[in-house]
Amino acid sequence: MSLAEDILAPDTRTGQIKLHGPEGFEGMRVAGRLAAECLDMLTPYVKPGVVTSELDRLAREFTLDHGALPACLFYRGYSNTLCISPNHVVCHGIPGERTLREGDIANIDVTVIVDGWHGDHSRMYAIGEVAPRARRLIDVTYEGLERGLAAVKPGARLGDIGYAIQSYVEAQRCGVVRDFCGHGLGRVFHDAPNILHFGRPGTGPELRPGMFFTIEPMVNLGKPQVKLLADGWTAVTRDKSLSAQCEHSIGVTATGYEVFTLSPAGLFRPN
């Protein structure tokens, strides 16, 4: 069992790939936009000296004030709204008393529920001036996501997405994390199919209009191996190298794809 399978409870997955119609697309647009607006709202607060629990409080209040629910709060015992993963934390970092410092990089991940639909979104933040190698890692990760998105169209295969990401990232001498993946979503938080960020072209289930899922590559500056800390959530790089991640929720359309989590303020990529 992979770390991803262990963390995603079996009773949250239906095992079947759902196809959604216009109502689903409209619901996901609303949920995805709110998730993106939440991370836009946080942007001016993500700076040297901020305590990660304060960012979590701001996100929780924003979500509730907009009539939505934080999907991660109490999910399988998780007690926060956000996952905040700085530096060598790959994913699922728990907000707490840690202070972000000049030169850190951090992924912030949020999922909101609006009228039963899940908007799942994450992006990177550069805290102050960051080292060139950290900036390069972020750039590679975002380009990997773009290449994965470009592979999405009806008739393509899930392996095409993974191959597009892996072939680019590894050519940049970075590592693609294997232990965690994207996932189907909609009215269910984590659903079929798994979206691997590595793979072989022409393999896996066929993409069909109406499929909803996330693409969320995790890229390490070093080797791809990770380990899970004793808290049962936080995953870190085994070699202590930096890690970056970015995520969009998307739907497959008749001609390609629609991104539900575009930043209204144009803040998806860090400056």
Side-chain angles (χ1 to χ4, degrees), residues 11 16 18 36 54 63 68 81 88 111 118 170 247 253 261 264:
D11 62 357
Q16 296 182 335
K18 297 181 177 66
E54 174 64 8
T63 302
T81 295
H88 74 291
T111 305
H118 290 74
E170 291 183 348
E247 173 186 19
T253 68
T261 46

Side-chain angles (χ1 to χ4, degrees), residues 1-24:
M1 178 179 288
S2 72
L3 294 177
E5 291 169 335
D6 185 52
I7 285 178
L8 305 185
D11 62 357
T12 66
R13 300 176 61 85
T14 66
Q16 296 182 335
I17 299 174
K18 297 181 177 66
L19 301 180
H20 301 84
E23 178 186 358

Side-chain angles (χ1 to χ4, degrees), residues 26-244:
E26 183 55 33
M28 291 297 287
R29 288 183 192 115
V30 175
R33 181 182 177 92
L34 186 64
E37 288 175 340
C38 181
L39 295 190
D40 286 353
M41 177 276 298
L42 287 178
T43 298
Y45 298 98
V46 185
K47 58 187 179 181
V50 70
V51 179
T52 55
S53 61
E54 174 64 8
L55 297 176
D56 191 72
R57 182 189 68 79
L58 289 168
R60 181 170 59 256
E61 291 181 356
F62 178 90
T63 302
L64 295 173
D65 286 348
H66 284 78
L69 295 174
C72 290
L73 190 61
F74 308 126
Y75 176 74
R76 294 208 63 188
Y78 193 76
S79 57
N80 296 90
T81 295
L82 301 175
C83 294
I84 302 179
S85 304
N87 299 329
H88 74 291
V89 179
V90 175
C91 60
H92 302 157
I94 302 173
E97 296 310 307
R98 175 166 183 156
T99 298
L100 296 180
R101 298 178 179 140
E102 181 82 19
D104 285 347
I105 60 172
N107 175 269
I108 301 183
D109 191 341
V110 67
T111 305
V112 301
I113 307 173
V114 182
D115 295 329
W117 297 98
H118 290 74
D120 191 358
H121 181 43
S122 84
R123 64 182 75 158
M124 293 300 296
Y125 293 82
I127 292 80
E129 293 294 324
V130 302
R133 65 193 181 100
R135 176 64 62 181
R136 177 177 176 273
L137 173 65
I138 293 172
D139 290 343
V140 168
T141 305
Y142 274 72
E143 180 61 24
L145 173 61
E146 290 299 324
R147 294 190 181 220
L149 289 170
V152 176
K153 60 183 178 181
R157 301 279 177 173
L158 286 180
D160 299 334
I161 299 173
Y163 175 77
I165 296 169
Q166 179 186 11
S167 59
Y168 169 75
V169 169
E170 291 183 348
Q172 305 306 308
R173 303 185 71 178
C174 293
V176 178
V177 170
R178 266 73 163 171
D179 297 274
F180 294 92
C181 58
H183 53 87
L185 82 168
R187 290 195 174 274
V188 177
F189 190 177
H190 293 103
D191 209 350
N194 286 339
I195 308 298
L196 304 181
H197 305 117
F198 61 96
R200 293 183 292 113
T203 63
E206 181 179 344
L207 300 184
R208 299 172 61 190
M211 291 173 65
F212 296 163
F213 51 83
T214 69
I215 304 178
E216 47 184 297
M218 286 145 273
V219 177
N220 298 345
L221 197 57
K223 296 180 180 180
Q225 287 78 20
V226 308
K227 66 178 180 180
L228 196 64
L229 299 186
D231 61 30
W233 287 101
T234 308
V236 300
T237 56
R238 282 193 174 272
D239 61 7
K240 299 295 180 71
S241 63
L242 292 175
S243 187

Side-chain angles (χ1 to χ4, degrees), residues 119 222 260:
F260 300 127

